Amino acid sequence: MELITAGVDIGSTMTKVVIINKEILASIIGPTGAEHRQLADKVMAQALEQAGISFEDVHYILATGYGRINVPFADKQMTEIACHARGIHSFFPTARTVIDIGGQDSKAIKLDNEKVINFVMNDQCAAGTGRFLEVIAEALGLGLEEMGEMSLRAKKKEKISNTCTIFAEQEIVSRLAEGAAVEDIVAGLFEGVVGRIYHMAERLKIENDTVITGGGAKSIGIIKAFEKKLGFTPMVPPEPLLTGAIGAALLGRDLAYGSMERSEPLRRKERRLKSATFFK
Amino acid sequence: MENQVRPLKMMGKLTDLVNKYWQDVWKSKKEGELVAWCSGMSPFEILRAMDINVVYPEAYGGFCGVAGISTGLCQRAEALGYSQDLCSIIRNSIGAIHGTPAKEQENLIYGGIPKPDLLFCETYCPGVYKMWEKYSRFYNVPLWVMERPRMHDAFSKEKGAHFVKEGIDELKEMVLFLERLTGRRFNIDRLSQSLVLEREANRLWWDSLELCQNIPAPMSVFDAVSHIFPYYLYRGEPQAVAYNQELKSELLDRVAQKISPMVTEERYRLYWDNLPIFFKLEEHIKKFASYGAVPVVAMNSFLYGSPEDMDPENPLESIVKLSLSVPGNRGLKGRIEFLGKLVEDYSLDGLVMQRTRTCLLNNMGQDDIMKALTEKTGLPAVVIEGDLCDSRLYSDSEFNQKIDAFMEILAQRGSRRN
Ligand code: SF4
């Protein structure tokens, strides 16, 4: 019988749950609110329903992401660096560099097969993250995906030099007032964001194959800007938001099978799925 | 197994000695004795040999940082118009000296910093040099600046001969300047005697650092940053020798009993680049300890050159060599060589690079060093963004996130010793 494992990835903006055995049985993506614990329970319940199994059927649960410590029913916590690496490796075994553009941070991971050799993260600043793009999209009254497509129609690129999200927003407003085209502004913006992430990732020496993942990978504007900067086409997983959760479920599976092979008991938590909130 | 933090017994003595140092300086000031401000590498031995008291405003920044009051002092400097990009150690001092109303200064830690009668610094850190220039104008007191050229590779007799000669000439001029200023005669024999003591204290300190090559290390980088102070404040005086002697014996005891200051079982041994983040010492000890990881060595702990470069019979030459041969005064190539050796000597498993946001001096080249070292040694490295004193430039969640991920990498690789 194939073991069933689950990965719960509580990111700063999105919460993702994946249940797997040999294949993906369920995957849920929902927004992360302030009450991580309650949300983790809720999203897990939805995923169980989608998979048509009960909580007790899940052999091992691994949590990751910023909110990983707020998943009371998880057997183990690991960082999203390890989980992304494992998830990406399952899709692209030849991947050597992973660039993850998340809501609150962006990071680059250097891989040797599924092993993480090194990583870098952007530091204490929204520039170069999904949140930066979101704020700007809101200011322009556009959706994120729409903004990506729009950038492809640019005739030239308007340079937005401010890295501070608030100042960049102000800069954009004044560029619009000067009559710059929205397409050119967003194209310049993507170029700027990608430039920052690229230079951070270059600290690890970007190597092919390179995979872009996280919410940012859903924007065609980001991918095209990366393609230009890298000089080759990066790979993108089928659902970039899910690689962390898939990786978590796979790492849980590795641990479960590993302990079975060694005939060791698998350390699991006394766990229950319940409704609890941060504030109780 | 729950990890036990076992601070060195010397901690009590350290507190007493540091308190006494500040009390004595203030007493001397009140009695009308001369007080000089010195940057960390100034030729303070000559000042002490002429009965001039020495205060280190940079060290004061460190004390305030550990006490958790630096950010407020930095903000006071900013209110005077200094940019947040300026080194936080410097902002801290400006905030204490200049940004705090005179009548409130005595409420600061150690009663604040006594006003200087003269200022000494070397050209090692341009930020300090600029601050000293400012205070020379502000207090209208003389400023003496010593050149301290960077050694390209490492200091050696042949390559350094020219710089040593120039350094000695500068010291001679400095002596003449001090004689004119104080009306006192400089006594070179007294200087030689103090160098005998300084060499001994220095040797004991280098021995203590070397003892950390043992597994488990008897002292962590987080301890070393505190226990270096008696040597720093009392160089050339018997107190530093006595303290370092006792420290070394305590470390020897710990080595014999295999006692680590932080963990029950030392799993990973780490290099720490730069100084620790002063306002987070305790939390960082706990965080690393929770993984059985101990930062056992930092280049910054080798604050002064090697005792081998000291010869009390030639005191001026010794002083110059001591400052030129500091490992941190080497160029990139020399630092990489030095660190490569530490990796082997201290059986290291990984490198933690603390990037002090506002210290341009230590940031320059840090990435190059990290790249070269990871390539040379194959060890993983992590960059921690932080600051020595300004807590606004540091984030707990980012620190924890990076350390958690780094520890996963170490766990995957396993310790080099297993
Ligand atoms: S922390 Fe850096 S910039 Fe500040 S005084 Fe020290 S060396 Fe100079």
PDB file of all heavy atoms in Angstrom, chain A residues 4 15 41 50 73 83 95 116 133 170 198 204:
ATOM      1  N   ILE A   4       0.195   7.655   2.379  1.00  0.00           N
ATOM      2  CA  ILE A   4      -0.355   8.972   2.038  1.00  0.00           C
ATOM      3  C   ILE A   4       0.320  10.007   2.936  1.00  0.00           C
ATOM      4  O   ILE A   4       0.384   9.827   4.164  1.00  0.00           O
ATOM      5  CB  ILE A   4      -1.879   9.004   2.259  1.00  0.00           C
ATOM      6  CG1 ILE A   4      -2.543   7.968   1.342  1.00  0.00           C
ATOM      7  CG2 ILE A   4      -2.436  10.402   2.010  1.00  0.00           C
ATOM      8  CD1 ILE A   4      -4.039   7.848   1.531  1.00  0.00           C
ATOM      9  N   THR A  15      -1.865  30.124   1.449  1.00  0.00           N
ATOM     10  CA  THR A  15      -1.688  28.851   2.140  1.00  0.00           C
ATOM     11  C   THR A  15      -1.993  27.727   1.156  1.00  0.00           C
ATOM     12  O   THR A  15      -2.967  27.803   0.403  1.00  0.00           O
ATOM     13  CB  THR A  15      -2.622  28.782   3.356  1.00  0.00           C
ATOM     14  OG1 THR A  15      -2.101  29.672   4.339  1.00  0.00           O
ATOM     15  CG2 THR A  15      -2.685  27.391   3.956  1.00  0.00           C
ATOM     16  N   ASP A  41      -6.279  24.348   9.655  1.00  0.00           N
ATOM     17  CA  ASP A  41      -7.286  23.300   9.873  1.00  0.00           C
ATOM     18  C   ASP A  41      -8.311  23.292   8.740  1.00  0.00           C
ATOM     19  O   ASP A  41      -8.680  22.245   8.225  1.00  0.00           O
ATOM     20  CB  ASP A  41      -8.012  23.545  11.207  1.00  0.00           C
ATOM     21  CG  ASP A  41      -7.152  23.140  12.379  1.00  0.00           C
ATOM     22  OD1 ASP A  41      -6.936  21.938  12.555  1.00  0.00           O
ATOM     23  OD2 ASP A  41      -6.688  24.032  13.098  1.00  0.00           O
ATOM     24  N   GLN A  50     -11.398  16.763  -0.739  1.00  0.00           N
ATOM     25  CA  GLN A  50     -11.092  16.613  -2.173  1.00  0.00           C
ATOM     26  C   GLN A  50     -10.474  15.234  -2.461  1.00  0.00           C
ATOM     27  O   GLN A  50     -10.773  14.600  -3.467  1.00  0.00           O
ATOM     28  CB  GLN A  50     -10.113  17.716  -2.586  1.00  0.00           C
ATOM     29  CG  GLN A  50     -10.070  17.979  -4.069  1.00  0.00           C
ATOM     30  CD  GLN A  50      -8.983  19.006  -4.405  1.00  0.00           C
ATOM     31  OE1 GLN A  50      -7.823  18.662  -4.545  1.00  0.00           O
ATOM     32  NE2 GLN A  50      -9.385  20.257  -4.528  1.00  0.00           N
ATOM     33  N   PHE A  73      -1.215  20.388  13.800  1.00  0.00           N
ATOM     34  CA  PHE A  73      -1.344  18.953  13.517  1.00  0.00           C
ATOM     35  C   PHE A  73      -0.176  18.385  12.694  1.00  0.00           C
ATOM     36  O   PHE A  73      -0.187  17.226  12.319  1.00  0.00           O
ATOM     37  CB  PHE A  73      -2.683  18.671  12.808  1.00  0.00           C
ATOM     38  CG  PHE A  73      -2.899  19.507  11.572  1.00  0.00           C
ATOM     39  CD1 PHE A  73      -2.320  19.135  10.378  1.00  0.00           C
ATOM     40  CD2 PHE A  73      -3.676  20.658  11.621  1.00  0.00           C
ATOM     41  CE1 PHE A  73      -2.513  19.897   9.240  1.00  0.00           C
ATOM     42  CE2 PHE A  73      -3.870  21.436  10.486  1.00  0.00           C
ATOM     43  CZ  PHE A  73      -3.283  21.049   9.287  1.00  0.00           C
ATOM     44  N   CYS A  83      11.889  22.462   1.150  1.00  0.00           N
ATOM     45  CA  CYS A  83      10.680  21.950   0.489  1.00  0.00           C
ATOM     46  C   CYS A  83      10.632  22.351  -0.985  1.00  0.00           C
ATOM     47  O   CYS A  83      10.293  21.527  -1.834  1.00  0.00           O
ATOM     48  CB  CYS A  83       9.435  22.424   1.236  1.00  0.00           C
ATOM     49  SG  CYS A  83       9.355  21.695   2.882  1.00  0.00           S
ATOM     50  N   ALA A  95      17.363  20.397 -12.518  1.00  0.00           N
ATOM     51  CA  ALA A  95      17.439  21.793 -12.040  1.00  0.00           C
ATOM     52  C   ALA A  95      18.657  21.988 -11.142  1.00  0.00           C
ATOM     53  O   ALA A  95      18.950  21.154 -10.285  1.00  0.00           O
ATOM     54  CB  ALA A  95      16.171  22.140 -11.272  1.00  0.00           C
ATOM     55  N   VAL A 116      20.098  20.751  -1.087  1.00  0.00           N
ATOM     56  CA  VAL A 116      20.355  22.196  -1.121  1.00  0.00           C
ATOM     57  C   VAL A 116      21.830  22.410  -0.814  1.00  0.00           C
ATOM     58  O   VAL A 116      22.318  21.937   0.213  1.00  0.00           O
ATOM     59  CB  VAL A 116      19.512  22.921  -0.044  1.00  0.00           C
ATOM     60  CG1 VAL A 116      19.827  24.406  -0.025  1.00  0.00           C
ATOM     61  CG2 VAL A 116      18.039  22.675  -0.278  1.00  0.00           C
ATOM     62  N   LEU A 133       5.044  43.860  -6.403  1.00  0.00           N
ATOM     63  CA  LEU A 133       4.287  43.850  -7.656  1.00  0.00           C
ATOM     64  C   LEU A 133       2.801  44.072  -7.392  1.00  0.00           C
ATOM     65  O   LEU A 133       2.124  44.792  -8.129  1.00  0.00           O
ATOM     66  CB  LEU A 133       4.493  42.521  -8.386  1.00  0.00           C
ATOM     67  CG  LEU A 133       5.922  42.288  -8.896  1.00  0.00           C
ATOM     68  CD1 LEU A 133       6.073  40.876  -9.443  1.00  0.00           C
ATOM     69  CD2 LEU A 133       6.278  43.307  -9.974  1.00  0.00           C
ATOM     70  N   GLN A 170       5.037  56.223  -5.897  1.00  0.00           N
ATOM     71  CA  GLN A 170       4.977  57.668  -6.168  1.00  0.00           C
ATOM     72  C   GLN A 170       5.628  57.997  -7.510  1.00  0.00           C
ATOM     73  O   GLN A 170       5.130  58.807  -8.289  1.00  0.00           O
ATOM     74  CB  GLN A 170       5.706  58.441  -5.072  1.00  0.00           C
ATOM     75  CG  GLN A 170       4.923  58.512  -3.784  1.00  0.00           C
ATOM     76  CD  GLN A 170       5.757  59.118  -2.666  1.00  0.00           C
ATOM     77  OE1 GLN A 170       6.889  59.523  -2.863  1.00  0.00           O
ATOM     78  NE2 GLN A 170       5.187  59.156  -1.470  1.00  0.00           N
ATOM     79  N   TYR A 198      17.808  38.849  -9.872  1.00  0.00           N
ATOM     80  CA  TYR A 198      18.892  38.214 -10.620  1.00  0.00           C
ATOM     81  C   TYR A 198      20.232  38.449  -9.914  1.00  0.00           C
ATOM     82  O   TYR A 198      21.015  37.529  -9.708  1.00  0.00           O
ATOM     83  CB  TYR A 198      18.923  38.782 -12.042  1.00  0.00           C
ATOM     84  CG  TYR A 198      20.131  38.367 -12.833  1.00  0.00           C
ATOM     85  CD1 TYR A 198      20.149  37.150 -13.518  1.00  0.00           C
ATOM     86  CD2 TYR A 198      21.266  39.179 -12.899  1.00  0.00           C
ATOM     87  CE1 TYR A 198      21.266  36.757 -14.240  1.00  0.00           C
ATOM     88  CE2 TYR A 198      22.378  38.792 -13.617  1.00  0.00           C
ATOM     89  CZ  TYR A 198      22.380  37.594 -14.285  1.00  0.00           C
ATOM     90  OH  TYR A 198      23.478  37.203 -14.980  1.00  0.00           O
ATOM     91  N   LEU A 204      25.053  33.151  -5.976  1.00  0.00           N
ATOM     92  CA  LEU A 204      25.255  31.697  -5.935  1.00  0.00           C
ATOM     93  C   LEU A 204      25.751  31.173  -7.278  1.00  0.00           C
ATOM     94  O   LEU A 204      25.925  29.983  -7.430  1.00  0.00           O
ATOM     95  CB  LEU A 204      23.935  30.981  -5.626  1.00  0.00           C
ATOM     96  CG  LEU A 204      23.194  31.342  -4.358  1.00  0.00           C
ATOM     97  CD1 LEU A 204      21.912  30.536  -4.273  1.00  0.00           C
ATOM     98  CD2 LEU A 204      24.061  31.033  -3.157  1.00  0.00           C
TER      99      LEU A 204
END
